[in-house]
C-alpha cells in the first residue's frame, strides 16, 4: 500500500471539487446502467442459453411432433410456426428480466446505486433496456435456425423488420409486469412460477401451434381478445404476407397500456423494497 | 456548529423487532467516528439511514446540515458508502465498475475514465484494472469497493464493517486507507466489531447495543471505563489455577474471570500491572503456557458496560 501512503500529502482520494449535476440525468444514468447490463450479459454468455438454445428446442419439438398432424408436412408447419414462436421466445426473454432483477437487487451493488444521486427508476430502466440485447439475440438465433430448417420470408425486409420491432416493443412493455413481480416476490423461483401463470394463457391461448378454428368456442373468444394472439397474427402477416388488419394498431395500444400501468407500479415497488 | 453528520433519536422497527431504539451519533468534519457493537446491535441500520437507503420511523439525521429524508438527493452528492458486502459488480472489470459510478455521478465519460484510473492506481489495482472483479481476491475487492465510494470525492464516507472477513495483513491495508482518508479531511463513520480496530482508527467511539448508544467517548475514555488492557494467564498445571488467580486479582484489584477452562483474564490499567504479575508468578514458581496483555475484546467491553455478554444477545 505504498501508493496509498503517498496520498496523504497529495490528495488523490478526495478533494473539495464538487461535481455539478448535468441535465437529462435520468436518460444518461439509465443508458450507463443499460450498458452495464449489456456488458454483464456479454461477459456471461451462458445467460443467453434461454434465448438461444431453448427456442430451438421448442421449434424442433413442435415441428417434428405436431407438424405432420397439423399442416400435413413439417415444411409447411415451420412456415406457420416460426413467426409466432418468435413472439413467445421474446416474451420469455422479457420474463427473465424480472427473475434476474429479483436476484440482482439483493446484491450490494444495488445498495450503492441507491446511495448515488440518480433517479430511483434509473437502475430498473437500465436493466430492462439492457435486456433488449437478449431479445435481439433471441430473434437472430431463432430466424437463423429457422432459415437452416427451411423457413422462407414471403415479404420484404421492411415488413420482416417491422414484425421484429413490433415483437420487441411489445415484450419490452410487458416485461415491466415481470419486473413488478420481481420486485414483489421474495425469491427468483417465486417470480418464475408467478410469471409462468401469466405467460402460459397469453402465449398458448393463441394460434401459435394450431389454427384457431380447431379450438372450442370459449377458447376462440379468448384468442380473439388476447393481444399476444394479435401480435402473432401480425407477425405472420408481416413475414408471410396476407391480411394485416388492425392487429398492429391493437398491439401498439396494448403495449403502451402495459407500459403505462406496470412501469410506474414496478418503480414504486422497487422504492418500497429496501 | 454544523456537524459533518448527525443523527438524533433515530428509531427503526421491523415488525416487532426494534433495530434502533433512539440512537444519537455525530462527528465533526474530518473526524473518524467508530461505531462499535455486536451483530444485530443496529450498526448497519444506522448506516443505511445516514446513507439515505432507509427512512427512520422517528428521529432525524442530517449530513452537512441537509436532512437525509427531505434532502436525500443532495445528501447523496456528499456521501460514499461501502457496505458490509462488496458492493461492486463481479461480472464487470475494476475500470468498468468505477467508470459506471463516475457516469452516474454526472462526470463526463472522459473524466470518469481519468478518475477511475487515478483511483485504481492509488489503491494498487492498476494491473487488475482490466480483469473481471470475480477474479479478484477478498482484499482487492475491498479496495475496489472503497475506491468506488470515493469516485465522487465525498465529504462523508460510511464504512460498514470494512475489515470483516479479511486476514490481519489485509486489515492493516484497510486501516492505512482509512487514515489516509481522515488525513485528507474526509469524515468517516466506521462500524466494527473490534475494539482494537475502533481504538486504532477512531477519534470517538460510540458503543451500541440493542439499538442504543451505551457508551460514547474517545478511545482513551472508553478504555478507562472498561480497563485499558486485559491480562490473560494460562498456568501449565491446572492445579495452580487458584494460586495464579489470587496473584492476578491482588495485582489488578479487580475480579478475575475464567472465559475458558484453565484460563484466567483480568482487566488492568497499565503495563506496570503486567510486569508485576509476571514477577510474582515467577517468584511463586507457577509455570505458564500462555501469558499475554491485550485490549479487551468486544465481549469484555460489553460485560463491563452492561453486565451481560454479547453472545447471549445474539442468540
Amino acid at each position: 500500500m505504498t501508493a496509498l501512503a503517498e496520498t496523504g500529502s497529495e490528495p488523490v482520494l478526495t478533494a473539495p471539487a464538487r461535481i455539478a449535476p448535468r441535465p437529462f440525468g435520468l436518460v444518461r444514468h439509465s443508458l450507463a446502467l443499460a450498458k452495464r447490463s449489456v456488458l454483464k450479459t456479454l461477459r456471461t454468455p451462458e445467460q443467453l442459453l434461454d434465448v438461444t438454445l431453448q427456442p430451438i428446442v421448442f421449434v424442433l419439438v413442435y415441428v417434428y411432433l405436431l407438424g405432420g398432424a397439423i399442416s400435413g408436412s413439417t415444411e409447411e408447419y415451420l412456415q406457420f410456426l416460426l413467426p409466432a414462436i418468435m413472439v413467445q421466445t421474446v416474451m420469455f426473454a422479457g420474463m427473465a428480466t424480472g427473475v434476474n432483477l429479483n436476484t440482482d437487487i439483493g446484491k450490494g451493488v444495488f445498495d450503492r446505486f441507491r446511495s448515488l444521486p440518480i433517479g430511483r427508476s434509473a437502475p430498473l430502466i437500465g436493466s430492462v433496456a439492457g435486456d433488449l440485447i437478449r431479445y435481439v439475440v433471441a430473434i437472430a438465433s431463432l430466424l437463423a435456425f429457422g432459415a437452416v430448417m427451411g423457413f422462407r420470408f414471403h415479404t420484404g425486409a421492411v415488413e420482416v423488420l417491422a414484425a421484429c420491432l413490433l415483437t420487441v416493443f411489445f415484450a419490452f412493455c410487458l416485461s415491466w409486469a415481470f419486473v413488478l413481480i420481481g420486485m414483489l416476490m421474495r425469491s427468483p423461483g417465486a417470480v418464475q412460477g408467478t410469471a409462468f401463470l401469466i405467460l402460459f394463457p397469453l402465449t398458448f391461448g393463441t394460434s401459435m401451434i394450431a389454427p384457431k378454428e380447431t379450438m372450442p368456442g370459449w377458447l376462440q373468444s379468448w384468442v380473439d381478445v388476447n393481444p399476444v394472439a394479435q401480435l402473432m397474427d401480425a407477425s405472420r402477416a408481416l413475414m408471410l404476407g396476407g391480411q394485416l388488419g388492425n392487429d398492429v394498431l391493437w398491439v401498439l395500444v396494448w403495449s403502451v397500456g402495459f407500459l403505462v400501468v406496470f412501469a410506474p407500479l414496478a418503480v414504486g415497488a422497487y422504492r418500497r423494497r429496501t | 456548529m454544523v456537524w459533518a453528520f448527525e443523527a438524533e433519536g433515530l428509531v427503526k422497527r421491523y415488525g416487532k423487532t426494534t433495530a434502533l431504539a433512539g440512537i444519537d451519533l455525530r462527528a465533526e468534519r474530518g473526524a473518524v467516528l467508530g461505531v462499535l457493537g455486536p451483530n444485530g446491535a443496529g450498526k448497519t441500520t444506522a448506516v443505511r439511514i445516514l446513507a439515505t437507503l432507509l427512512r427512520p420511523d422517528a428521529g432525524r439525521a442530517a449530513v452537512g446540515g441537509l436532512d437525509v429524508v427531505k434532502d436525500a438527493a443532495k445528501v447523496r452528492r456528499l456521501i460514499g458508502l461501502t457496505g458490509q458486502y462488496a458492493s461492486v459488480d463481479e461480472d464487470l472489470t475494476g475500470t468498468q465498475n468505477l467508470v459506471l459510478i463516475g457516469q452516474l455521478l454526472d462526470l463526463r465519460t472522459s473524466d470518469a475514465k481519468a478518475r477511475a484510473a487515478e483511483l485504481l492506481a492509488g489503491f494498487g489495482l492498476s494491473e487488475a484494472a482490466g480483469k473481471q472483479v470475480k477474479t479478484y481476491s477478498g482484499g482487492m475487492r475491498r479496495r475496489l469497493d472503497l475506491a468506488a465510494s470515493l469516485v465522487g470525492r465525498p465529504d462523508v464516507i460510511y464504512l460498514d464493517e470494512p475489515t470483516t472477513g479479511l486476514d490481519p495483513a489485509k486489515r492493516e491495508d484497510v486501516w492505512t486507507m482509512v487514515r489516509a482518508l481522515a488525513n485528507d479531511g474526509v469524515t468517516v463513520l466506521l462500524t466494527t466489531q473490534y475494539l482494537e480496530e475502533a481504538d486504532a482508527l477512531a477519534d470517538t467511539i460510540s458503543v451500541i447495543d440493542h439499538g442504543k448508544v451505551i457508551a460514547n467517548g474517545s478511545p482513551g475514555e472508553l478504555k478507562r471505563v472498561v480497563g485499558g488492557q486485559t491480562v490473560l494467564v494460562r498456568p501449565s498445571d491446572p492445579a495452580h489455577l487458584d494460586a495464579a488467580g489470587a496473584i492476578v486479582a491482588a495485582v489488578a484489584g479487580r475480579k478475575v474471570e475464567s472465559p475458558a477452562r484453565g484460563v484466567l483474564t483480568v482487566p488492568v490499567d497499565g503495563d506496570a500491572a503486567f510486569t508485576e504479575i509476571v514477577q510474582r508468578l515467577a517468584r511463586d514458581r507457577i509455570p505458564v503456557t500462555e501469558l499475554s496483555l491485550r485490549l479487551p475484546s468486544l465481549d469484555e467491553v460489553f460485560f463491563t458496560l452492561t453486565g451481560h455478554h454479547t453472545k447471549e444477545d445474539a442468540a
Side-chain angles (χ1 to χ4, degrees), chain A residues 1 4 7 12-15 18-19 21-22 28-29 36 40 43 108 111-112 114 116 118 120 274, chain B residues 48 53 76 81 87 89 91 93 101 104-108 115 122 132 145 155 173 177 184 186:
Chain A
M1 296 319 303
L4 252 174
T7 61
V12 163
L13 299 182
T14 55
R18 182 77 48 230
I19 307 162
R22 289 198 288 140
R28 275 186 297 105
H29 300 152
R36 159 191 176 259
K40 277 171 77 79
R43 292 248 173 195
D111 268 0
R112 184 179 301 285
R114 271 192 288 254
L116 292 172
I118 57 174
R120 299 292 82 182
T274 300
Chain B
R48 291 178 70 88
L53 300 182
R76 291 187 187 117
L81 169 69
S87 34
D89 206 314
D91 296 323
T93 66
I101 290 166
L104 296 180
L105 284 163
D106 287 345
L107 286 176
R108 287 171 202 285
R115 179 70 178 147
Q132 277 181 290
D145 209 350
D155 290 352
D173 276 359
M177 290 175 217
D184 287 355
V186 181

Side-chain angles (χ1 to χ4, degrees), chain B residues 60-117:
Chain B
R60 54 164 218 104
V63 177
L66 298 164
D67 191 275
V68 295
V69 177
K70 281 187 232 120
D71 297 314
K74 285 181 191 156
V75 168
R76 291 187 187 117
R77 294 202 171 268
L78 303 178
I79 60 171
L81 169 69
T82 293
Q84 205 163 338
Y85 305 100
S87 34
V88 284
D89 206 314
E90 300 226 311
D91 296 323
L92 302 189
T93 66
T95 301
Q96 284 168 343
N97 265 292
L98 298 190
V99 169
L100 171 64
I101 290 166
Q103 288 172 331
L104 296 180
L105 284 163
D106 287 345
L107 286 176
R108 287 171 202 285
T109 304
S110 54
D111 295 341
K113 282 182 178 159
R115 179 70 178 147

Side-chain angles (χ1 to χ4, degrees), chain A residues 138-180:
Chain A
I139 290 178
S141 73
L142 187 73
L143 292 184
F145 184 72
V148 170
M149 281 182 77
F151 177 79
R152 294 293 175 263
F153 300 116
H154 293 264
T155 55
V158 174
E159 285 91 342
V160 171
L161 190 65
C164 296
L165 287 177
L166 188 66
T167 304
V168 166
F169 181 66
F170 178 83
F172 170 80
C173 296
L174 184 67
S175 78
W176 284 100
F178 302 123
V179 172
L180 172 63

Side-chain angles (χ1 to χ4, degrees), chain B residues 154-187:
Chain B
D155 290 352
V156 174
I157 178 160
Y158 306 118
L159 304 173
D160 194 10
E161 301 202 11
T163 62
T164 298
L166 290 187
D167 60 47
K170 299 290 185 316
R171 180 173 296 179
E172 288 286 347
D173 276 359
V174 173
W175 288 8
T176 310
M177 290 175 217
V178 175
R179 290 197 186 103
L181 284 175
N183 278 342
D184 287 355
V186 181
T187 312

